[in-house]
Amino acid sequence: MKRFGKKKELYLSDRQPLTPLGVVLLIVSYLILFGWAFIIIWPLTNMVISAFNGKQEKYLILNSIYEFSFKHFRYLFEETLYLTWVKNTILIAVVTALLTLLIVSFTGYAYSRFRFKGRKASLMAIMLIQTIPTFAGITAYYTLHSIVSDVVPGFSRQMMLILIYAGGGIASNTFILKGYMDSISTELDDAAKIDGCSNMQVYRLIIMPIVRPMLAIIALWSFIGPFMDYLLPRVLLTSPESYTLAAGLYTLMNNRETLNQPAFAAGGLLTAIPIVILFAALQKQLISGLSQGSVKG
């Protein structure tokens, strides 16, 4: 005999239906997300509009009449050292990213796979280094540059800036990459060593393909750093010809002689292009690297 009763609703998962309080919290969460998105998108939208608005003069006027024009971009290329700043920034960013990747990949592997004296103490030192703000060492950077420049002729302030960026990136990313490598089973290492692989071959053939997504992230953030930083280039670099983009573009905001806020917006828009290109180039590595490396061929 069939039992007739209230038909139970079926769910595709074990998640329970939202309670009234849950619905309220969900609505509040969406409101917060929409508000946060508006806070981010609104300034970016005005920056793009102002960069192409020919009616803008030296100051940004959000409600001004709009007239499409490239005059602010022409001002950047003709009246400022924008191309020199771009060259300086890309050079510093590329060298910083390569130097950071080269050292971090080895230090992360060493801390993850080897046990040596002073390992825990040095890891603790790496963690403590991150608590010291960068600007606190500006005096030390000046002193160090003067010492190194006396020993190594031609050691420029831009080289010093590269070492500062790379040094800070090595300290933080070593700890991150070490934790990522710890999640990789050591059985893969043992199987490779049974086949006759050395430690370097294990590192190159097994570990590197698996950690490729994390290396791509480290490369991306190391490259972005010099584009975003203003304080260190402004303090360490003394001539406009040696400025990075952040320090150079800021002269369009705080200098009465070169004040041009719409040109600053145009420069900020162009600054994002190299970062977007690098992100697009590394996107494939971020996705495909997760599924490669552990398959033995």
Side-chain angles (χ1 to χ4, degrees):
M1 181 178 179
K2 293 184 179 179
R3 300 179 60 184
F4 296 95
K6 186 177 180 180
K7 185 177 180 181
K8 293 183 179 181
E9 296 182 1
L10 298 178
Y11 296 94
L12 297 179
S13 67
D14 294 332
R15 182 179 298 176
Q16 297 297 319
L18 289 176
T19 61
L21 178 60
V23 173
V24 173
L25 293 177
L26 182 63
I27 294 174
V28 171
S29 299
Y30 276 111
L31 290 176
I32 293 174
L33 290 176
F34 281 122
W36 184 254
F38 177 80
I39 292 173
I40 295 175
I41 294 174
W42 175 251
L44 292 177
T45 303
N46 283 284
M47 181 186 74
V48 174
I49 294 174
S50 300
F52 291 99
N53 189 356
K55 290 295 184 179
Q56 301 275 14
E57 296 301 332
K58 287 189 175 183
Y59 296 94
L60 291 179
I61 304 175
L62 300 182
N63 296 325
S64 66
I65 301 173
Y66 184 81
E67 178 184 334
F68 185 82
S69 174
F70 289 103
K71 76 173 189 177
H72 302 307
F73 294 92
R74 288 196 297 269
Y75 177 87
L76 274 179
F77 291 107
E78 296 174 1
E79 303 295 332
T80 69
L81 299 173
Y82 183 77
L83 292 178
T84 301
W85 300 336
V86 171
K87 182 188 68 175
N88 295 338
T89 308
I90 291 179
L91 176 63
I92 293 174
V94 169
V95 176
T96 298
L98 292 177
L99 188 60
T100 302
L101 275 180
L102 178 64
I103 299 178
V104 166
S105 61
F106 285 108
T107 55
Y109 177 65
Y111 277 111
S112 176
R113 289 300 192 261
F114 297 97
R115 301 294 180 266
F116 50 88
K117 187 176 181 180
R119 176 176 174 272
K120 291 184 178 180
S122 56
L123 280 175
M124 184 62 66
I126 291 174
M127 293 180 63
L128 292 176
I129 287 175
Q130 306 310 304
T131 63
I132 303 175
T134 304
F135 64 84
I138 289 178
T139 304
Y141 298 149
Y142 269 109
T143 305
L144 183 61
H145 175 267
S146 62
I147 295 174
V148 176
S149 60
D150 291 338
V151 178
V152 182
F155 185 78
S156 65
R157 293 181 181 270
Q158 290 182 343
M159 295 179 183
M160 186 68 195
L161 199 60
I162 291 173
L163 293 180
I164 294 172
Y165 287 142
I170 290 168
S172 59
N173 292 318
T174 293
F175 193 78
I176 296 173
L177 189 61
K178 182 259 181 190
Y180 191 87
M181 288 184 178
D182 286 343
S183 64
I184 302 174
S185 175
T186 56
E187 293 180 359
L188 294 173
D189 302 29
D190 297 335
K193 290 179 180 179
I194 291 174
D195 291 340
C197 292
S198 62
N199 288 324
M200 283 300 299
Q201 288 175 323
V202 171
Y203 163 78
R204 181 172 60 87
L205 300 176
I206 305 297
I207 302 299
M208 284 291 288
I210 298 177
V211 301
R212 190 180 300 166
M214 183 56 64
L215 292 178
I217 294 174
I218 292 173
L220 181 63
W221 284 111
S222 299
F223 184 84
I224 291 176
F227 282 86
M228 302 293 106
D229 184 36
Y230 162 75
L231 179 62
L232 285 177
R234 187 67 182 85
V235 173
L236 293 177
L237 305 178
T238 55
S239 63
E241 291 77 12
S242 64
Y243 281 169
T244 60
L245 274 170
L249 288 176
Y250 192 68
T251 60
L252 302 177
M253 297 290 290
N254 69 339
N255 192 327
R256 290 185 178 181
E257 297 179 358
T258 60
L259 180 66
N260 194 321
Q261 294 179 355
F264 177 86
L269 186 62
L270 292 177
T271 300
I273 294 178
I275 300 174
V276 171
I277 292 175
L278 181 63
F279 181 82
L282 294 178
Q283 189 175 15
K284 183 178 179 181
Q285 301 297 329
L286 291 172
I287 297 174
S288 64
L290 290 171
S291 59
Q292 296 177 0
S294 61
V295 180
K296 188 176 177 182

